[in-house]
Structures are given as structure tokens and as C-alpha cells.
Amino acid sequence: MPKPNSSFVTEFAFEGFSSFGWRHRLVFFVVFLTLYLLTLSGNMIIVAIIRLDRHLHTPMYFFLSMLSISETCYTVAIIPRMLSGLLNPHQTIDIQGCATQLFFYLTFGINNCFLLTAMGYDRYVAICNPLRYSVIMGKRACAQLSSGSLGIGLGMAIVQVTSVFGLPFCDGFVISHFFCDVRPLLKLACADTTLNEVVNLAVSVCVLVLPMGLVFVSYVLIISTILKIASAEGRKKAFATCASHLTVVIVHYGCASVVYLKPKSQSSLGQDRLISVTYILITPVLNPVVYSLRNKEVKDALRRAVGRKPLSP
């Protein structure tokens, strides 16, 4: 129940980076804006290259383009307001705007988790069952995996947003973060949040532990198959097709797990905020960088697009 003599909150302010002086915030603004623009341009280039180059019309690159679109939407939900907060640390957000931001953040964040799982499954089929790859990973299967990932994201986001914003918020209105996230919001609620904490943990396990487990099993099977390949060149080529995906997976799940699976007793909102900067700014820009620098097919497609290498017949 709400505390006596409390007034209900209708808008929030972000603590964000307000503890830093304006010079530090200006430096953060320039760095974060640069990373944001790199994320947007890099992911748009990836999507355009995959769409225009027929050599990349394969399930692996279909999922990569879906991941790039999702990463773009994910960053658009958070970073513009964060950048604005660096210039004006006293701005507020109404409760409806906060719920909307949390909804889109969760939807696309969870969608990313399951898209990475689908990409792991794609690599598993390609390496462990290559003769049936085109049959198993047809257009229909790819569309189902992609739409299923988004559907899970939407469903989990609705559960979380309904759980959090069903609580009353009284007196305290400063969110100890730079965007609307579940744990900082629960700390502001003036009612018992035990059930909400359980819901949050259950969702976190479903969207992090389950996908991580599936990716782990996929790579155990992939590595065991690769090690059976007779030629060193064949093993190297097989490992190369997985290296980019595995790099993104480790960073993505690693940062998210530290923030959302850490016990409440060990939770530090300041530390979570620092890790969230990595999770929200570094991971999305890592996706196009890793796939463009470490992937020969994408590099070849980029060269063809700028005319440095003629299109193959």
C-alpha cells in the first residue's frame, strides 16, 4: 500500500550523469554521439548491402540484417534522450513516456537475444547438417524464427511494463539511471515489490539463461563437428564462419547477464549504469564492426558496392 501522506508521481527525472561537471558531460556527449552515429550508419550499411547483394541472400545474412534493424530500433529508444540528458540534466519524462521507453527497450533487447540464438542454430545446421541446410533453413523457417523472436520480445515487454507500472510511485521521482529500466523503477515504488522482483527474475532467466544455454549447446556440437574435419584449411574455414557471431554473443550476453542476473543483494545501481553504457552503446556498434571487418563475404560485398571489385556473374 502507498505510504500515508504521499503524493503520486506523474513524471520522473534521471540521475544519469548529473554528478559530473559540464566539461565531463560534454566529453561524454561527443563520445556517445559518435558511437550512436556509427551504430546507425554501420547497421544501415549492413542492411543495405545484404538487401542489394544477391551473394548475401542466405539465412545467415537474413538474420544479420534483422539483428541490425533490431539494434537500430533498440538504440533509438534510449540514446537520443540520454544525449539530451547530458546537455540538460534536469529534464523530466512523464510516466507514459517512461513506460513507452521501457517497452521498446525490452522488446528489441529481448528480440536481439533470440535473434542471436537463431543465428547460432543457423550455424549449427550449416556445419553439423550441411546436406539438409537448404531444406531446414528455408525462407519459411527463417521468417518463423525471426517473427518468433520479435513475438517473444513483445510478450515479455508487455509482462514487464504491466508489472512495473501497476505499482504506485510516491515522493521519490529521480531514477538512478539514464533511462527507464526495471530495477531502478522498482526502487522508487512505494509498495511491496517482492512479486515484481520475482517476475523480473523469471523474465531475465527466460530471455538470457535459456538462449545462452541453447547457443552453448549449439557451439559444443559445432566445435565437436569441426574437430572431425580432416583438413586444417577446412577447420579454419568452419571456425571463421562462427567467429563473428561468437564474438557478438559473448559481449551481448556477458554484459546483459551481469546487469540482470546479479542477485539483488549484490546490485549496485552505479555499477549497473556503467555496464549499461557498454551494453547500450558498445554492443550495437560492435555488430556491424565485427561482421564487416572479420567477415570476408561482407567485405567483398562492400568492395563490389563501391566499385572496387566487379560483380561476379
Side-chain angles (χ1 to χ4, degrees), residues 42 101 193 216 266 275:
Q101 186 185 61
T193 61
F216 176 76
Q266 298 177 17
I275 298 168

Side-chain angles (χ1 to χ4, degrees), residues 8 104 118 174 198 203 205 209 222 231 260 284 288:
F8 287 100
F104 284 112
V174 178
V198 171
V203 170
V205 169
V209 177
I222 286 169
S231 69
Y260 295 105

